[in-house]
Amino acid sequence: MPTTTRARTVPGAARSRGFVLVACAGLVWGTGGFAGSLVARSTELSGPAIASMRLLGGGLVMLLLAAVTGALRAVPRDRTVAGRIAVTGLLSAVYQGAYFVAVELAGVALATVVALGSAPLLVAVVTAVGARRAPARATVFAVASALLGLLLLGGTPTAADGRAAAMGVALALVSGASFAATTLLNRTPVPGLPPSALIGASFTVAGLVLVPPALAAGFAVAGVGGPAWVWLGYLAVLPTAGAYLAYYSGLPHVPATTAAVLALLEPVTATLLAVLVLGERLSAAGGVGMVLLLVAVVVLRPSATGDPAAAPGARAPGP
């Protein structure tokens, strides 16, 4: 079935519910960065180690949920399901691992802007090529507003060694491309594979894939204290298991570009937590950036007259 035809048949209630779920996922992801920074400050765990523990914890939580609800029993045991789980797991491992290394090489601001900002651009290009049409004007405006807002909110990148910064930017692009690929891939669900089972199995795979680099970078679990374990538990349960469950549940009901833009709500939550909890100051440019990100969300919201981003060219290509 052509993608644009399928977009018109999505009920308005499903579009609205999907939009809210994906937006909530973006907002909750921002608390994950806050929790991860607290863990990094109070322990000697490396970035890959925190990512591995986050994914393993979130994957196990979702596997338990899928088992309790009976979702695992209905999952088909075939190559399609195994392939989706494996590819999603590998992409998730690459996204998380490449991002943390990019932060170490290029700095938080530059790595975050490149990784998060490249994802909606890549999704928009792929959807336009797949549909053989230019994106809708509302989509172009929303993506531009979101990217400008991200740049302003991220602040001025700190100076870094040229070669290291270049490698960090390259890895941040790999991270953004991996997230974009995950978004495009999972817009089309596999029959019989519910989001809880997909997340549980794929994140467990992703966490295991990151164990070797985590061990190489330093996996000093013995030095992790009680408060750090609490934050690690929170990181696994809410920003990982809960947020991705919301994201993958809403993803089939919204355009892929919309989902990628809504993921940019992550730095909004992270900035608000830094201001309210850590006492950091929000610059005027940062305030403008936050407003521009919220403007992009308003532009892409579904409405009774049709979702502006669901116009031809805004949907992800069909199977």
Side-chain angles (χ1 to χ4, degrees):
M1 179 182 294
T3 302
T4 52
T5 301
R6 181 174 59 192
R8 297 189 186 100
T9 60
V10 176
R15 287 202 312 268
S16 297
R17 179 175 177 273
F19 185 89
V20 171
L21 285 172
V22 174
C24 287
L27 290 170
V28 174
W29 279 331
T31 69
F34 177 75
S37 66
L38 293 179
V39 173
R41 291 179 183 181
S42 60
T43 68
E44 296 181 359
L45 291 173
S46 63
I50 295 174
S52 177
M53 296 174 73
R54 168 185 186 171
L55 290 168
L56 280 174
L60 293 175
V61 167
M62 291 310 301
L63 283 177
L64 179 61
L65 176 64
V68 170
T69 58
L72 285 180
R73 291 195 298 269
V75 176
R77 271 60 172 176
D78 56 33
R79 292 183 179 179
T80 302
V81 170
R84 177 62 63 90
I85 289 172
V87 174
T88 301
L90 290 174
L91 288 172
S92 299
V94 171
Y95 167 67
Q96 294 283 342
Y99 174 73
F100 277 111
V101 178
V103 167
E104 294 176 359
L105 293 174
V108 175
L110 183 58
T112 300
V113 168
V114 173
L116 292 181
S118 61
L121 279 177
L122 291 171
V123 171
V125 170
V126 171
T127 55
V129 172
R132 297 181 182 179
R133 296 188 183 212
R137 284 180 294 180
T139 302
V140 174
F141 175 81
V143 171
S145 177
L147 293 181
L148 179 57
L150 180 64
L151 287 170
L152 293 174
L153 194 57
T156 304
T158 56
D161 176 71
R163 185 173 299 178
M167 181 63 69
V169 168
L171 287 173
L173 286 172
V174 170
S175 177
S178 299
F179 182 79
T182 303
T183 297
L184 291 167
L185 175 67
N186 289 292
R187 275 216 68 252
T188 306
V190 174
L193 180 62
S196 58
L198 170 64
I199 296 168
S202 63
F203 279 17
T204 301
V205 170
L208 292 174
V209 169
L210 287 177
V211 167
L215 290 173
F219 211 147
V221 179
V224 179
W229 280 114
V230 171
W231 283 114
L232 281 170
Y234 170 83
L235 189 59
V237 173
L238 199 58
T240 305
Y244 276 96
L245 179 60
Y247 188 74
Y248 284 169
S249 296
L251 192 55
H253 306 295
V254 297
T257 304
T258 297
V261 170
L262 292 177
L264 297 184
L265 288 172
E266 177 180 347
V268 172
T269 308
T271 300
L272 289 175
L273 286 173
V275 171
L276 297 176
V277 179
L278 301 180
E280 297 184 8
R281 298 186 63 181
L282 179 64
S283 65
V288 173
M290 192 176 297
V291 170
L292 288 174
L293 282 167
L294 296 177
V295 166
V297 173
V298 172
V299 169
L300 292 176
R301 77 192 188 286
S303 62
T305 57
D307 188 348
R315 281 270 173 179

